[in-house]
Short mmCIF file of all heavy atoms in Angstrom, two decimals:
data_model
loop_
_atom_site.label_atom_id
_atom_site.label_comp_id
_atom_site.label_asym_id
_atom_site.label_seq_id
_atom_site.Cartn_x
_atom_site.Cartn_y
_atom_site.Cartn_z
N PRO A 153 107.69 114.17 132.55
CA PRO A 153 107.46 112.82 132.02
C PRO A 153 108.46 112.47 130.92
O PRO A 153 109.05 113.37 130.31
CB PRO A 153 106.05 112.93 131.42
CG PRO A 153 105.95 114.35 130.99
CD PRO A 153 106.75 115.15 131.99
N SER A 154 108.66 111.18 130.70
CA SER A 154 109.56 110.78 129.61
C SER A 154 108.77 110.39 128.37
O SER A 154 109.34 110.12 127.32
CB SER A 154 110.46 109.63 130.06
OG SER A 154 109.67 108.58 130.56
N ILE A 155 107.45 110.33 128.54
CA ILE A 155 106.57 110.06 127.39
C ILE A 155 105.48 111.13 127.40
O ILE A 155 104.89 111.40 128.44
CB ILE A 155 105.91 108.68 127.51
CG1 ILE A 155 106.97 107.58 127.59
CG2 ILE A 155 104.96 108.44 126.35
CD1 ILE A 155 106.43 106.26 128.07
N LEU A 156 105.23 111.72 126.24
CA LEU A 156 104.20 112.75 126.18
C LEU A 156 103.18 112.42 125.11
O LEU A 156 103.53 112.15 123.96
CB LEU A 156 104.85 114.11 125.88
CG LEU A 156 103.90 115.30 125.82
CD1 LEU A 156 103.28 115.58 127.18
CD2 LEU A 156 104.63 116.54 125.31
N PHE A 157 101.92 112.40 125.52
CA PHE A 157 100.84 112.22 124.56
C PHE A 157 100.21 113.57 124.27
O PHE A 157 99.81 114.28 125.19
CB PHE A 157 99.76 111.28 125.11
CG PHE A 157 100.14 109.85 125.09
CD1 PHE A 157 100.75 109.26 126.18
CD2 PHE A 157 99.89 109.08 123.96
CE1 PHE A 157 101.11 107.92 126.17
CE2 PHE A 157 100.24 107.74 123.93
CZ PHE A 157 100.86 107.16 125.03
N LEU A 158 100.12 113.92 123.01
CA LEU A 158 99.48 115.17 122.62
C LEU A 158 98.29 114.83 121.73
O LEU A 158 98.47 114.42 120.59
CB LEU A 158 100.47 116.04 121.83
CG LEU A 158 101.70 116.57 122.56
CD1 LEU A 158 102.80 116.91 121.58
CD2 LEU A 158 101.33 117.80 123.38
N ASP A 159 97.09 114.97 122.29
CA ASP A 159 95.90 114.63 121.51
C ASP A 159 95.42 115.89 120.80
O ASP A 159 94.78 116.75 121.39
CB ASP A 159 94.82 114.06 122.43
CG ASP A 159 93.79 113.25 121.66
OD1 ASP A 159 93.85 113.26 120.41
OD2 ASP A 159 92.93 112.62 122.30
N GLU A 160 95.75 115.98 119.56
CA GLU A 160 95.43 117.14 118.72
C GLU A 160 95.85 118.46 119.35
O GLU A 160 95.03 119.32 119.66
CB GLU A 160 93.95 117.15 118.38
CG GLU A 160 93.66 116.01 117.43
CD GLU A 160 92.24 115.98 116.94
OE1 GLU A 160 91.69 117.05 116.72
OE2 GLU A 160 91.73 114.88 116.77
N PRO A 161 97.16 118.60 119.53
CA PRO A 161 97.68 119.79 120.23
C PRO A 161 97.46 121.07 119.46
O PRO A 161 97.45 122.15 120.03
CB PRO A 161 99.17 119.51 120.37
CG PRO A 161 99.48 118.57 119.25
CD PRO A 161 98.25 117.73 119.06
N THR A 162 97.26 120.97 118.16
CA THR A 162 97.20 122.19 117.37
C THR A 162 95.82 122.45 116.79
O THR A 162 95.65 123.27 115.91
CB THR A 162 98.23 122.16 116.24
OG1 THR A 162 98.06 120.96 115.51
CG2 THR A 162 99.62 122.22 116.79
N ALA A 163 94.81 121.73 117.32
CA ALA A 163 93.45 122.02 116.87
C ALA A 163 93.05 123.40 117.37
O ALA A 163 93.20 123.70 118.55
CB ALA A 163 92.49 120.96 117.39
N GLY A 164 92.57 124.24 116.50
CA GLY A 164 92.11 125.56 116.90
C GLY A 164 93.22 126.48 117.36
O GLY A 164 93.01 127.36 118.19
N VAL A 165 94.42 126.26 116.84
CA VAL A 165 95.56 127.07 117.24
C VAL A 165 96.05 127.81 116.00
O VAL A 165 96.07 127.24 114.91
CB VAL A 165 96.64 126.13 117.81
CG1 VAL A 165 98.01 126.73 117.69
CG2 VAL A 165 96.32 125.76 119.24
N ASP A 166 96.43 129.08 116.15
CA ASP A 166 96.83 129.82 114.96
C ASP A 166 98.20 129.36 114.44
O ASP A 166 98.92 128.63 115.11
CB ASP A 166 96.79 131.33 115.18
CG ASP A 166 97.84 131.80 116.17
OD1 ASP A 166 98.85 131.10 116.34
OD2 ASP A 166 97.64 132.88 116.76
N VAL A 167 98.49 129.79 113.21
CA VAL A 167 99.68 129.27 112.51
C VAL A 167 100.95 129.49 113.32
O VAL A 167 101.79 128.61 113.44
CB VAL A 167 99.82 129.96 111.14
CG1 VAL A 167 101.02 129.41 110.40
CG2 VAL A 167 98.55 129.76 110.32
N GLU A 168 101.04 130.67 113.92
CA GLU A 168 102.25 131.00 114.65
C GLU A 168 102.45 130.07 115.85
O GLU A 168 103.51 129.53 116.07
CB GLU A 168 102.16 132.44 115.13
CG GLU A 168 103.50 132.98 115.58
CD GLU A 168 103.53 134.49 115.42
OE1 GLU A 168 102.80 135.01 114.56
OE2 GLU A 168 104.27 135.12 116.16
N LEU A 169 101.37 129.90 116.60
CA LEU A 169 101.44 129.05 117.78
C LEU A 169 101.73 127.61 117.37
O LEU A 169 102.42 126.87 118.07
CB LEU A 169 100.13 129.13 118.57
CG LEU A 169 100.09 128.38 119.89
CD1 LEU A 169 101.25 128.80 120.78
CD2 LEU A 169 98.78 128.64 120.61
N ARG A 170 101.18 127.22 116.22
CA ARG A 170 101.43 125.87 115.76
C ARG A 170 102.92 125.66 115.49
O ARG A 170 103.50 124.66 115.88
CB ARG A 170 100.62 125.60 114.49
CG ARG A 170 100.56 124.13 114.18
CD ARG A 170 99.82 123.83 112.91
NE ARG A 170 98.47 124.41 112.90
CZ ARG A 170 97.70 124.45 111.82
NH1 ARG A 170 98.13 123.92 110.69
NH2 ARG A 170 96.50 124.99 111.87
N LYS A 171 103.52 126.66 114.88
CA LYS A 171 104.96 126.58 114.64
C LYS A 171 105.73 126.52 115.96
O LYS A 171 106.66 125.75 116.11
CB LYS A 171 105.42 127.79 113.81
CG LYS A 171 104.85 127.82 112.40
CD LYS A 171 105.79 127.18 111.39
CE LYS A 171 105.08 126.67 110.14
NZ LYS A 171 104.47 127.74 109.33
N ASP A 172 105.29 127.33 116.93
CA ASP A 172 105.91 127.31 118.26
C ASP A 172 105.82 125.92 118.87
O ASP A 172 106.74 125.42 119.49
CB ASP A 172 105.20 128.30 119.21
CG ASP A 172 105.56 129.73 118.90
OD1 ASP A 172 106.47 129.93 118.07
OD2 ASP A 172 104.93 130.64 119.47
N MET A 173 104.66 125.32 118.69
CA MET A 173 104.40 123.99 119.24
C MET A 173 105.38 122.98 118.62
O MET A 173 105.91 122.12 119.30
CB MET A 173 102.96 123.61 118.91
CG MET A 173 102.31 122.73 119.91
SD MET A 173 101.64 123.70 121.26
CE MET A 173 100.00 124.00 120.68
N TRP A 174 105.58 123.12 117.33
CA TRP A 174 106.51 122.21 116.65
C TRP A 174 107.92 122.37 117.20
O TRP A 174 108.64 121.39 117.41
CB TRP A 174 106.51 122.48 115.13
CG TRP A 174 105.21 122.14 114.47
CD1 TRP A 174 104.14 121.52 115.06
CD2 TRP A 174 104.83 122.39 113.12
NE1 TRP A 174 103.12 121.38 114.15
CE2 TRP A 174 103.51 121.90 112.95
CE3 TRP A 174 105.47 122.98 112.03
CZ2 TRP A 174 102.82 121.99 111.75
CZ3 TRP A 174 104.78 123.06 110.82
CH2 TRP A 174 103.48 122.57 110.68
N VAL A 175 108.30 123.62 117.45
CA VAL A 175 109.62 123.88 118.00
C VAL A 175 109.74 123.23 119.37
O VAL A 175 110.73 122.57 119.70
CB VAL A 175 109.88 125.40 118.10
CG1 VAL A 175 111.17 125.68 118.87
CG2 VAL A 175 109.93 126.03 116.71
N LEU A 176 108.68 123.39 120.17
CA LEU A 176 108.66 122.81 121.51
C LEU A 176 108.81 121.30 121.45
O LEU A 176 109.59 120.68 122.18
CB LEU A 176 107.36 123.19 122.22
CG LEU A 176 107.19 122.56 123.60
CD1 LEU A 176 107.97 123.35 124.63
CD2 LEU A 176 105.72 122.49 123.99
N VAL A 177 108.06 120.69 120.54
CA VAL A 177 108.11 119.23 120.39
C VAL A 177 109.52 118.78 120.02
O VAL A 177 110.06 117.82 120.58
CB VAL A 177 107.08 118.77 119.32
CG1 VAL A 177 107.34 117.34 118.89
CG2 VAL A 177 105.66 118.91 119.88
N GLU A 178 110.12 119.53 119.11
CA GLU A 178 111.48 119.20 118.70
C GLU A 178 112.46 119.32 119.88
O GLU A 178 113.32 118.48 120.08
CB GLU A 178 111.89 120.13 117.54
CG GLU A 178 113.20 119.78 116.88
CD GLU A 178 113.30 118.31 116.47
OE1 GLU A 178 112.32 117.78 115.90
OE2 GLU A 178 114.36 117.69 116.73
N LYS A 179 112.26 120.36 120.69
CA LYS A 179 113.11 120.56 121.86
C LYS A 179 112.97 119.42 122.85
O LYS A 179 113.95 118.93 123.41
CB LYS A 179 112.71 121.88 122.54
CG LYS A 179 113.83 122.90 122.62
CD LYS A 179 113.33 124.24 123.09
CE LYS A 179 113.56 124.51 124.56
NZ LYS A 179 113.06 125.85 124.95
#
Side-chain angles (χ1 to χ4, degrees):
Chain A
S154 54
I155 301 165
L156 181 66
F157 284 92
L158 294 158
D159 200 353
E160 291 184 37
T162 52
V165 155
D166 68 23
V167 181
E168 195 153 334
L169 184 54
R170 195 182 306 170
K171 294 266 156 65
D172 285 352
M173 211 84 91
W174 293 353
V175 172
L176 176 81
V177 166
E178 188 50 45
K179 239 171 99 179

